[in-house]
Amino acid sequence: GAAAGYNVTYDYLALVTPDVDDKWIRVIQQLGYTTRRVAVPIEAKDIRNPDLVATINQDGRLGANEMAKIEPFLFNEYDRVLMVDSDVLFHRNFDELFVGDDTDNDNNNSNNVALQWTAGGILSEPMNGGFLVINPKARDAARHHDAILDILREGDYDPRTGWKNSGVGGGTYGGLTVQGLLPYYFLHALNGTASREIDRCRYNNMQQVQRCKDYAVEEVTSNHFTGDCTKPWQCIAAGRGRGLKFIPKGQESSVHPMCTRFQEVWWERWTDLAHSVGAPTERCGTGTFVSKHLYDRL
């Protein structure tokens, strides 16, 4: 619901690429989302750098499919689009992201801010691609979309020096797509204009930096199960390796106590959902993923 003082209405969209199975589309829709199929805006064969073509689909979580995240720049039926990864968990209202001033702080041009973003967890990741507030009605939103694709199509990328020898995107997870191209374009090519940084500790808390660890849980609007905060459904304790294994309740993220609280909230919500669809509510240890529980019952 809308926060006091704001008049914001939401549509809940799930962007799905053409390769997503129809059964999953039905699952997503029964969870209350409207699905919107989006074609990946560029194919690897259209990139003029053969080395980039050979590696882009092994980079990041989704390879070239990550570029579907820039399509909301063209969703001009909306005033704002909050584009988040599916491992982001919300704890409180975020209307202020949708109604803030669009004036660019550097040149005072109204309706110029096309993107609000948070920093990543390490120096090589200046912008995290899992939490993007896009303004499709910004003056140059469509031009930004096309310019980003032109940079990718040109393919001037080196894994050591990044995009156009800028140092941006080199050695970065997802640096060949969104987590390299967006910071290169908005922070380097446009010199920080047309975008605005928002507080990563409040809106995209992954721990990782001491300032975010020092936040009170009550100050966090949303957290991201990445970085120091492992995904609760994978049952991996922070700092204890990558293999699936049972972690006793309360010890899921003992290295980062705030992550444990985030995971507890996730499990509470999973329990409510599982009850509603008749799925098992046990945590971990069963060898059955949460997603399969839903897939079998919806």
Side-chain angles (χ1 to χ4, degrees), residues 163-212:
W163 289 99
K164 294 180 179 288
N165 295 313
S166 65
V168 179
T172 301
Y173 181 78
L176 305 188
T177 58
V178 168
Q179 292 194 160
L181 284 165
L182 263 62
Y184 168 76
Y185 178 72
F186 282 103
L187 306 184
H188 186 84
L190 296 186
N191 198 29
T193 61
S195 67
R196 178 188 296 126
E197 183 176 7
I198 56 178
D199 186 358
R200 60 160 293 177
C201 301
R202 179 177 180 185
Y203 293 109
N204 194 21
N205 196 308
M206 301 172 272
Q207 298 288 277
Q208 293 187 291
V209 297
Q210 191 59 48
R211 185 172 70 85
C212 295

Side-chain angles (χ1 to χ4, degrees), residues 207 213 228-230 235-241 245 247-264:
Q207 298 288 277
K213 295 177 184 180
D228 287 342
C229 285
T230 55
C235 303
I236 304 169
R240 299 185 188 178
K245 53 188 175 181
I247 305 298
K249 180 178 178 180
Q251 298 181 22
E252 291 89 342
S253 292
S254 56
V255 177
H256 303 287
M258 190 183 290
C259 293
T260 296
R261 177 56 189 148
F262 294 153
Q263 291 187 341
E264 287 294 326

Side-chain angles (χ1 to χ4, degrees), residues 48-62:
R48 294 194 285 271
N49 178 342
D51 292 333
L52 189 55
V53 171
T55 56
I56 191 169
N57 282 321
Q58 285 75 53
D59 182 62
R61 182 66 181 86
L62 299 174

